[in-house]
């Protein structure tokens, strides 16, 4: 299993500074990092910060969470096939929503090869204090990135007074009580703290023992063995799920159909597509507190 860190944060928050320092720490520990870097423009300005000896995949002119989702999957498959690495770091654009970005990372084709440690959001502490000046749409995205973090970096604290620093930490903790919050300058965080994150829940064929009580957003890999359903049965289970389940994608065994069907779910919308190659019957679920879900087919 290869560890994956998803770096989130608003434009100019300090994600790239954190990335370069994280790479340094990984190499000092003898671990081999690989990087996927997403940028909105045509030129890879941020990727120039990544050393030449590190496997790097760039996605330009697009958001990892929109049309880039399939490209991200292809980039991860390419890295897994062509490079020897221990840790994958994915830096999203400042315009990426954490749920969408996390969804782009998962594929039932390689979900059992990756261990998503969590979403690390770099928050500009000064911008947090000035968030009322942002447009409603921008402010919503800024706060969503913070709300879904597993680890929250209150960055640029050196620009604030002691009283402002205390205010930022107090307000962020109230807004996202599930995240560990640390105060940083230049996005520097000890690797030991990152390694303590656990956002991925194990396969449901085993007893789920991984506690994520301190986490909001997580994933769960469901493996279907020796079971099949009708589409109606499966969709009835879907309708009974809480609204804290945001995304599902994978391959579901359907009675009377030779190969498991490609299934996708997003915010109440369901899509089924025939699959002409026999794919592994497994499904990735993304949401909050998903370890408590009752899974169809389980006794």
């Amino acid at each position: 299993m290869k560890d994956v860190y998803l770096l989130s944060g608003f434009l100019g928050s300090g994600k790239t500074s954190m990335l370069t320092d994280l790479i340094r720490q990984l190499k000092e520990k003898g671990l081999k990092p690989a990087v996927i870097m997403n940028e909105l423009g045509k030129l890879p300005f941020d990727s120039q910060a990544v050393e030449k000896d590190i496997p790097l995949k760039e996605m330009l002119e697009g958001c990892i969470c929109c049309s880039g989702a399939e490209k991200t999957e292809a980039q991860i498959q390419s890295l897994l096939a062509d490079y020897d690495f221990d840790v994958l770091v994915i830096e999203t654009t400042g315009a990426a929503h954490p749920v969408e970005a996390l969804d782009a990372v998962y594929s039932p084709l390689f979900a059992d090869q990756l261990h998503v440690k969590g979403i690390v959001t770099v928050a500009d502490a000064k911008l947090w204090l000035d968030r009322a000046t942002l447009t409603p749409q921008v402010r919503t995205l800024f706060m969503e990135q913070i709300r879904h973090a597993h680890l929250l970096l209150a960055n640029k604290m050196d620009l604030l007074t002691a009283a402002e620093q205390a205010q930022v930490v107090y307000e962020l903790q109230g807004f996202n009580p599930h995240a560990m919050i640390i105060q940083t300058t230049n996005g520097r965080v000890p690797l030991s703290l990152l390694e303590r994150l656990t956002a991925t829940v194990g396969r449901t064929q085993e007893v789920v023992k991984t506690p994520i009580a301190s986490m909001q957003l997580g994933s769960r890999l469901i493996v279907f063995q020796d079971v099949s359903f009708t589409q109606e049965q499966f969709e009835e289970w879907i309708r009974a799920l809480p609204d804290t389940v945001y995304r599902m994608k994978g391959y579901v065994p359907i009675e009377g159909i030779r190969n498991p069907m490609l299934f996708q779910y997003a915010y109440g919308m369901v899509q089924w597509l025939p699959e002409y190659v026999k794919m592994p019957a497994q499904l990735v679920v993304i949401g909050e507190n998903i370890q408590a879900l009752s899974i169809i087919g389980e006794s």
Side-chain angles (χ1 to χ4, degrees):
M1 296 283 282
K2 302 179 187 298
D3 288 342
V4 181
Y5 295 99
L6 191 69
L7 306 190
S8 174
F10 202 62
L11 298 164
S13 61
K15 293 191 302 300
T16 302
S17 295
M18 181 199 170
L19 173 64
T20 55
D21 188 62
L22 175 56
I23 289 173
R24 175 189 62 80
Q25 293 186 72
L26 289 169
K27 294 179 76 172
E28 286 179 355
K29 193 174 180 179
L31 297 172
K32 299 176 183 177
V35 175
I36 292 178
M37 186 170 283
N38 184 219
E39 301 190 56
L40 288 171
K42 294 183 179 181
L43 298 176
F45 291 112
D46 288 345
S47 63
Q48 296 171 11
V50 179
E51 299 168 47
K52 299 297 184 184
D53 62 331
I54 295 174
L56 170 67
K57 297 292 184 179
E58 299 166 299
M59 296 177 57
L60 305 179
E61 290 194 280
C63 180
I64 195 172
C65 59
C66 303
S67 59
E70 292 183 359
K71 294 180 182 177
T72 305
E73 182 176 314
Q75 300 284 42
I76 294 174
Q77 284 183 298
S78 175
L79 284 172
L80 289 170
D82 300 336
Y83 296 97
D84 176 26
F85 64 94
D86 304 303
V87 178
L88 174 60
V89 185
I90 301 176
E91 181 186 335
T92 67
T93 72
H97 189 291
V99 175
E100 312 286 349
L102 186 63
D103 176 57
V105 176
Y106 284 106
S107 167
L109 299 178
F110 49 70
D112 57 353
Q113 299 179 57
L114 302 177
H115 179 233
V116 179
K117 299 288 285 183
I119 296 172
V120 181
T121 296
V122 185
D124 185 327
K126 186 169 177 56
L127 185 60
W128 172 264
L129 293 177
D130 297 334
R131 63 191 181 279
T133 64
L134 301 172
T135 65
Q137 182 178 7
V138 171
R139 183 168 63 249
T140 297
L141 175 60
F142 175 59
M143 298 183 74
E144 282 290 285
Q145 291 171 339
I146 292 170
R147 187 171 78 87
H148 286 295
H150 300 114
L151 175 63
L152 187 55
L153 275 57
N155 198 32
K156 304 184 181 181
M157 294 296 270
D158 55 315
L159 303 179
L160 305 182
T161 66
E164 288 173 331
Q165 291 175 2
Q167 179 185 345
V168 167
V169 172
Y170 177 78
E171 291 179 353
L172 289 177
Q173 191 70 76
F175 188 68
N176 183 352
H178 303 276
M180 178 193 305
I181 299 177
I182 62 172
Q183 302 179 50
T184 58
T185 300
N186 297 324
R188 298 197 171 198
V189 55
L191 179 60
S192 58
L193 281 181
L194 294 172
E195 290 176 332
R196 287 164 53 187
L197 294 174
T198 307
T200 302
V201 182
R203 297 169 181 244
T204 60
Q205 295 300 327
E206 306 165 0
V207 177
V208 177
K209 297 180 180 179
T210 308
I212 59 168
S214 61
M215 307 299 178
Q216 276 190 292
L217 192 62
S219 71
R220 186 170 177 178
L221 178 63
I222 301 170
V223 180
F224 300 111
Q225 294 181 343
D226 303 320
V227 293
S228 62
F229 320 97
T230 65
Q231 286 184 237
E232 291 75 15
Q233 287 174 330
F234 200 81
E235 290 188 21
E236 182 178 352
W237 172 65
I238 295 294
R239 286 192 293 270
L241 294 174
D243 57 10
T244 50
V245 175
Y246 302 134
R247 290 282 192 274
M248 294 188 199
K249 60 182 177 182
Y251 300 92
V252 179
I254 297 298
E255 292 178 5
I257 298 179
R258 181 176 180 179
N259 297 322
M261 291 188 70
L262 174 61
F263 174 81
Q264 297 194 65
Y265 168 90
Y267 297 107
M269 300 295 290
V270 167
Q271 181 185 45
W272 294 92
L273 292 172
E275 182 56 60
Y276 300 103
V277 177
K278 187 173 180 61
M279 304 301 290
Q282 54 191 37
L283 184 73
V284 174
V285 184
I286 299 172
E288 298 181 31
N289 300 320
I290 55 174
Q291 75 275 23
L293 290 181
S294 175
I295 303 301
I296 187 172
E298 285 188 323
S299 57

